[in-house]
Amino acid sequence: METPNSKTSEELTTQILQALDNVSPILSSEKFPTASFVALKAALDRLASRTLVRYDTLERDEVLLEPEGEQIAINGSHEARVFEALCSSVEGLTVQELEKTVGDKNVVKIGQGKAFREKWISKTKDGKFKAATESIQDVTREQVQAIKTTRACPDSKILADLKKRKLVKTQRNISFKIFKGAKFALQIPEEATDLTAEMIASGSWKQTTFKPYNFNALGAEQRSGALHPLNKVRSEFRQIFFEMGFQEMPTNKFVESGFWNFDALFVPQSHPARDLQDTFYIADPRVADDPRSDSPDEKRDYQAYWQNVKTVHQEGKYGSIGYRIPWSNEESRKLVLRTHTTSVSAEMLYKLAAQKGPDGRPPPSRFFSIDRVFRNETVDMTHLAEFHQVEGVIADYNLTLGGLMKFMDIFFGKMGITELKYKPAYNPYTEPSMEIFSYHRGLGKFIEIGNSGMFRPEVLETMDLPRDMRVFGFGLSLERPTMIMNSISNIRELLGHKVDLNFIRNSPAVRLGIT
């Protein structure tokens, strides 16, 4: 069944050929003023593909009257109507009398100001308005009447003023100049679309006109899948980590115990981060078992580790005075949605302490992870309650803070992020600690993209790592660098229900020029 648009297009092809038979060229705006652009373009393309016609596209900006401009063209400008009303009164009119005479409060309100500026009216001592001249020229009415006739305004200043007053608007108009083609005829010849076996057998293909291929036609849009920009940046991060000798940590546990998420990292049990307003706690089950090995082959004494952590918190150990506050086993066993992947790093470092290198000591190691974390935060332009954390840990001997800063410069430089600043910060499990900032061109300011520091002895020595082994730790959200790279100012446009799917589909597959 034909749609209304295809029928209209088919009718237009015949009308175009008949019009050209009388005179060539013709203008579509004159011959077919009521035809829709889509139907007209379809008809012309159909005829042009068979060289029955050829056409040129004419583009022109037209100036059209807004409803208020239409009223001025008929009745005159607001200021002229105020002047004419005052001309009929010798003694002048009050505002209320003027509104009654004109019949429109809005016309009086706008018109009196303009009339005063033009010095067409004045104010008497008793506060009435009266005409200040015998006659005026209503220029505004003349301008809009000319625009209504010609649909043009050659003076850009006048056009800008009328647009500002919302009397006119501009609109792009597209029309066509149509000529006879090389094979012009009054009817479209019948064309076969397929070469059949019967045509070949009978030889009728020799006299048959075949429809030509249109190599300029656009194919149907292919709705292929697309990687989310976060996944692309995640792949870049993983590649950089692997290039720099890192090993990926297993991060398949979204739920952690308070011990691994907080206590093993020397976060005091009274720390604000452990409050309900900052952390999501699991309701059922509420608590976990004490730390234990996941593998029967592992021989480490997790209960001794538990006691070491408890002692360093409650009483102090390894040269630290601890927090000297009562330790709660119940608090340590509470289950939480992990607030950072550093809980995984702590478990990996504990396992590293049991490994022996060629010199009989734990070998230098590099670990990384990229996965989801959860925090009970207020959602705004730069914060979400659920986001992705990129974490890196470097364990080696005789490391320094300057080495960490140099590593950060190299690491982010590989992502094309070079404008970095470092600011001293506090973390319970690192000392010294630094916040990492990068300049966001979309927001026009530096924003925090990561945190870093050197793990405290209270964290490392409870694991039985050597005293001269130092550990760099750094973490950053995956979203912040992705926002910087894609000039996104609102994180909710990157992750969540407000994401524009066209942005996902059209984002670059790869970023070139990054080393």
Side-chain angles (χ1 to χ4, degrees), residues 296-327:
D297 299 328
E298 190 177 356
K299 305 302 181 183
R300 299 227 49 195
D301 188 349
Y302 277 82
Q303 194 58 40
Y305 179 44
W306 167 282
Q307 287 300 324
N308 278 343
V309 173
K310 178 178 180 178
T311 302
V312 81
H313 274 256
Q314 187 169 263
E315 302 165 13
K317 198 174 181 180
Y318 312 110
S320 170
I321 63 173
Y323 292 115
R324 292 179 289 181
I325 57 175
W327 166 280

Side-chain angles (χ1 to χ4, degrees), residues 251 253-254 256 261 336-340 371-374:
T251 55
K253 291 190 295 184
F254 284 0
E256 285 281 10
N261 199 78
V336 300
L337 287 178
R338 67 183 180 204
T339 59
H340 49 195
D371 213 333
R372 192 165 296 191
V373 296
F374 311 86

Side-chain angles (χ1 to χ4, degrees), residues 141-159:
R141 184 180 190 181
E142 293 173 358
Q143 290 169 346
V144 295
Q145 285 178 337
I147 289 171
K148 186 175 183 179
T149 303
T150 63
R151 294 197 171 193
C153 182
D155 193 316
S156 58
K157 288 185 179 180
I158 293 175
L159 178 61

Side-chain angles (χ1 to χ4, degrees), residues 82-124:
V82 168
F83 173 79
E84 289 170 2
L86 292 174
C87 283
S88 62
S89 174
V90 178
E91 297 180 356
L93 299 173
T94 64
V95 174
Q96 293 76 15
E97 292 171 339
L98 183 58
E99 289 173 352
K100 187 177 181 180
T101 303
V102 174
D104 191 325
K105 288 184 178 181
N106 192 51
V107 170
V108 173
K109 182 179 178 180
I110 298 172
Q112 63 172 310
K114 181 77 172 174
F116 270 120
R117 286 194 295 274
E118 295 290 340
K119 297 182 179 179
W120 294 352
I121 65 174
S122 61
K123 207 168 189 180
T124 63

Side-chain angles (χ1 to χ4, degrees), residues 416-454:
I417 301 174
T418 55
E419 297 183 63
L420 298 184
K421 283 189 176 182
Y422 301 94
K423 175 185 174 184
Y426 167 76
N427 288 316
Y429 47 89
T430 58
E431 180 63 37
S433 307
M434 299 182 301
E435 291 176 344
I436 308 166
F437 291 80
S438 176
Y439 188 74
H440 190 301
R441 298 189 183 280
L443 293 174
K445 65 179 181 179
F446 279 89
I447 64 170
E448 183 186 350
I449 59 171
N451 217 318
S452 64
M454 301 184 71

